[in-house]
Amino acid sequence: MKNLVIILSSILISINVLAGTPPDAVVKAFQQKFPSATKVSWGKENSTEWEAEFKLGETGISANFLNDGTWVETETEIPVSKLPETVMASIKKDYPSWEITGGDRIESAKKGILFEADLKSGMKKKEVQLKEDGTFVK
């Protein structure tokens, strides 16, 4: 029984260590796309996708890649004041009593450019995505 516990513990530790190391194709694609990235940390988004969280200058960014190195999307933190006016107008119209507490600009291989806003109303929190023209996506 003791040996079984040791073996299972070793397997779990190995899985956790390996989960933090993306395939070479992912690392290479990331380095080509973001050569000046600093403070890079990797995580597994799901079974086929990796996410790198990093800094470019003082800006916080995350980028996702498939296991084969294919870029999926990049999400860049932006001040609320940098959200497009069309996006702000749509949010104020549909969520008039909600406060916008954060923003992101998303470049997606499938969806193009999107903007994400973090909303808060009392204890409720919500995340919405919009196209640049103010159309809600999420």
Side-chain angles (χ1 to χ4, degrees), residues 6-40:
I6 291 171
I7 291 169
L8 289 175
S9 296
S10 296
I11 290 170
L12 289 175
I13 290 169
S14 297
I15 290 170
N16 286 334
V17 168
L18 292 174
T21 306
D24 289 341
V26 172
V27 174
K28 183 177 179 181
F30 173 79
Q31 290 172 340
Q32 286 176 342
K33 191 160 181 70
F34 304 102
S36 59
T38 60
K39 299 182 181 177
V40 181

Coordinates of all heavy atoms in Angstrom, one line a residue, residues 6-40:
I6 N 3.4 6.0 -2.9 CA 4.6 6.7 -3.4 C 4.5 6.8 -4.9 O 4.8 7.8 -5.5 CB 5.8 5.9 -2.9 CG1 6.0 6.1 -1.4 CG2 7.1 6.4 -3.7 CD1 7.1 5.2 -0.8
I7 N 4.1 5.7 -5.6 CA 4.0 5.7 -7.1 C 3.0 6.7 -7.6 O 3.3 7.5 -8.5 CB 3.7 4.3 -7.6 CG1 4.9 3.3 -7.3 CG2 3.3 4.3 -9.1 CD1 4.6 1.9 -7.6
L8 N 1.8 6.7 -6.9 CA 0.8 7.7 -7.4 C 1.2 9.1 -7.1 O 1.0 10.0 -8.0 CB -0.5 7.4 -6.6 CG -1.3 6.1 -7.1 CD1 -2.5 5.9 -6.2 CD2 -1.7 6.2 -8.5
S9 N 1.9 9.4 -6.0 CA 2.4 10.7 -5.7 C 3.4 11.2 -6.8 O 3.4 12.3 -7.2 CB 3.0 10.8 -4.3 OG 2.1 10.5 -3.3
S10 N 4.3 10.2 -7.1 CA 5.3 10.5 -8.1 C 4.7 10.9 -9.5 O 5.1 11.8 -10.2 CB 6.3 9.4 -8.3 OG 7.0 9.2 -7.1
I11 N 3.7 10.1 -9.8 CA 3.0 10.3 -11.1 C 2.3 11.7 -11.1 O 2.4 12.5 -12.1 CB 2.0 9.2 -11.4 CG1 2.7 7.9 -11.7 CG2 1.0 9.6 -12.5 CD1 1.8 6.7 -11.8
L12 N 1.6 12.1 -10.0 CA 1.0 13.4 -9.9 C 2.0 14.5 -10.0 O 1.7 15.5 -10.7 CB 0.1 13.4 -8.7 CG -1.1 12.6 -8.6 CD1 -1.8 12.6 -7.3 CD2 -2.1 13.0 -9.7
I13 N 3.1 14.4 -9.3 CA 4.1 15.4 -9.4 C 4.6 15.6 -10.8 O 4.8 16.7 -11.3 CB 5.2 15.1 -8.3 CG1 4.7 15.3 -6.9 CG2 6.4 16.0 -8.6 CD1 5.6 14.8 -5.8
S14 N 4.9 14.4 -11.4 CA 5.4 14.5 -12.8 C 4.4 15.2 -13.8 O 4.8 16.0 -14.6 CB 5.7 13.1 -13.3 OG 6.7 12.5 -12.6
I15 N 3.1 14.8 -13.6 CA 2.1 15.4 -14.5 C 2.1 17.0 -14.2 O 2.0 17.7 -15.2 CB 0.7 14.8 -14.2 CG1 0.7 13.4 -14.7 CG2 -0.4 15.6 -14.8 CD1 -0.5 12.6 -14.3
N16 N 2.1 17.4 -13.0 CA 2.1 18.8 -12.7 C 3.3 19.5 -13.3 O 3.2 20.6 -13.8 CB 2.0 19.1 -11.2 CG 0.6 18.8 -10.7 OD1 -0.4 18.9 -11.5 ND2 0.5 18.5 -9.4
V17 N 4.5 18.9 -13.2 CA 5.7 19.5 -13.7 C 5.6 19.6 -15.2 O 5.9 20.7 -15.8 CB 7.0 18.7 -13.3 CG1 8.2 19.2 -14.0 CG2 7.2 18.9 -11.8
L18 N 5.2 18.6 -15.9 CA 5.1 18.5 -17.3 C 4.0 19.5 -17.8 O 4.1 20.1 -18.9 CB 4.8 17.1 -17.8 CG 6.0 16.1 -17.6 CD1 5.5 14.7 -18.0 CD2 7.2 16.6 -18.4
A19 N 3.0 19.7 -17.0 CA 1.9 20.6 -17.5 C 2.3 22.0 -17.6 O 1.7 22.8 -18.4 CB 0.7 20.5 -16.5
G20 N 3.4 22.4 -16.9 CA 3.9 23.8 -17.0 C 4.9 24.0 -18.1 O 5.4 25.1 -18.3
T21 N 5.2 23.0 -18.9 CA 6.2 23.1 -20.0 C 5.5 22.8 -21.3 O 5.2 21.7 -21.6 CB 7.3 22.1 -19.8 OG1 7.9 22.2 -18.4 CG2 8.4 22.2 -20.8
P22 N 5.3 23.9 -22.1 CA 4.7 23.7 -23.4 C 5.6 23.0 -24.4 O 6.8 23.0 -24.2 CB 4.4 25.1 -23.8 CG 5.3 26.0 -23.1 CD 5.6 25.3 -21.8
P23 N 5.0 22.4 -25.5 CA 5.8 21.8 -26.5 C 6.8 22.8 -27.2 O 6.5 24.0 -27.2 CB 4.8 21.3 -27.5 CG 3.5 21.3 -26.8 CD 3.6 22.3 -25.7
D24 N 7.8 22.3 -27.7 CA 8.8 23.2 -28.4 C 8.2 24.1 -29.5 O 8.5 25.3 -29.7 CB 10.0 22.4 -29.0 CG 10.9 21.8 -28.0 OD1 10.9 22.3 -26.8 OD2 11.6 20.8 -28.3
A25 N 7.2 23.5 -30.2 CA 6.5 24.3 -31.3 C 5.8 25.5 -30.7 O 5.8 26.6 -31.4 CB 5.6 23.4 -32.1
V26 N 5.3 25.4 -29.6 CA 4.5 26.5 -28.9 C 5.5 27.5 -28.5 O 5.3 28.7 -28.7 CB 3.7 26.0 -27.7 CG1 3.1 27.1 -26.9 CG2 2.6 25.0 -28.2
V27 N 6.6 27.1 -27.8 CA 7.6 28.1 -27.4 C 8.2 28.8 -28.5 O 8.4 30.0 -28.5 CB 8.7 27.3 -26.6 CG1 9.9 28.3 -26.2 CG2 8.1 26.7 -25.3
K28 N 8.5 28.1 -29.6 CA 9.1 28.8 -30.8 C 8.2 29.8 -31.4 O 8.6 30.9 -31.7 CB 9.5 27.7 -31.8 CG 10.2 28.2 -33.0 CD 10.6 27.1 -34.0 CE 11.3 27.8 -35.2 NZ 11.7 26.7 -36.2
A29 N 6.9 29.4 -31.6 CA 5.9 30.3 -32.1 C 5.7 31.5 -31.2 O 5.6 32.7 -31.7 CB 4.6 29.6 -32.3
F30 N 5.7 31.3 -29.9 CA 5.6 32.5 -29.0 C 6.8 33.4 -29.1 O 6.6 34.6 -29.2 CB 5.5 31.9 -27.5 CG 5.6 33.0 -26.5 CD1 4.4 33.8 -26.2 CD2 6.7 33.3 -25.8 CE1 4.5 34.8 -25.3 CE2 6.8 34.3 -24.9 CZ 5.7 35.1 -24.6
Q31 N 8.0 32.9 -29.1 CA 9.2 33.7 -29.2 C 9.3 34.5 -30.5 O 9.8 35.6 -30.6 CB 10.5 32.8 -29.0 CG 10.6 32.3 -27.6 CD 11.7 31.3 -27.4 OE1 12.2 30.7 -28.4 NE2 12.1 31.1 -26.2
Q32 N 8.8 33.9 -31.6 CA 8.7 34.6 -32.9 C 7.7 35.7 -32.8 O 8.0 36.8 -33.4 CB 8.4 33.6 -34.0 CG 9.5 32.7 -34.4 CD 9.2 31.7 -35.5 OE1 8.0 31.4 -35.7 NE2 10.2 31.1 -36.1
K33 N 6.6 35.5 -32.2 CA 5.5 36.5 -32.2 C 5.8 37.6 -31.1 O 5.4 38.8 -31.4 CB 4.2 35.9 -31.9 CG 3.0 36.8 -32.1 CD 1.7 36.0 -32.3 CE 0.5 36.8 -32.6 NZ 0.5 37.5 -33.9
F34 N 6.4 37.2 -30.0 CA 6.7 38.2 -28.9 C 8.2 38.1 -28.5 O 8.4 37.7 -27.4 CB 5.8 37.9 -27.8 CG 4.3 37.9 -28.1 CD1 3.6 36.7 -28.3 CD2 3.6 39.0 -28.3 CE1 2.3 36.6 -28.6 CE2 2.3 39.0 -28.6 CZ 1.6 37.8 -28.8
P35 N 9.1 38.5 -29.3 CA 10.5 38.4 -29.0 C 11.0 39.2 -27.8 O 12.0 38.9 -27.2 CB 11.2 38.8 -30.3 CG 10.3 39.7 -31.0 CD 8.9 39.1 -30.7
S36 N 10.3 40.3 -27.5 CA 10.7 41.1 -26.3 C 9.9 40.9 -25.1 O 9.9 41.7 -24.2 CB 10.7 42.6 -26.7 OG 9.4 43.0 -27.2
A37 N 9.1 39.8 -25.0 CA 8.3 39.5 -23.8 C 9.2 39.2 -22.6 O 10.3 38.6 -22.7 CB 7.4 38.3 -24.1
T38 N 8.7 39.7 -21.5 CA 9.4 39.4 -20.2 C 8.4 38.8 -19.2 O 7.1 38.9 -19.4 CB 10.0 40.7 -19.6 OG1 8.9 41.6 -19.4 CG2 11.0 41.3 -20.5
K39 N 8.9 38.3 -18.1 CA 8.0 37.7 -17.1 C 7.0 36.7 -17.6 O 5.8 36.8 -17.3 CB 7.4 38.8 -16.2 CG 8.4 39.7 -15.6 CD 7.7 40.8 -14.7 CE 8.7 41.7 -14.1 NZ 8.2 42.7 -13.3
V40 N 7.5 35.8 -18.5 CA 6.6 34.8 -19.1 C 6.3 33.7 -18.2 O 7.2 33.1 -17.6 CB 7.2 34.3 -20.4 CG1 6.3 33.3 -21.1 CG2 7.6 35.4 -21.3

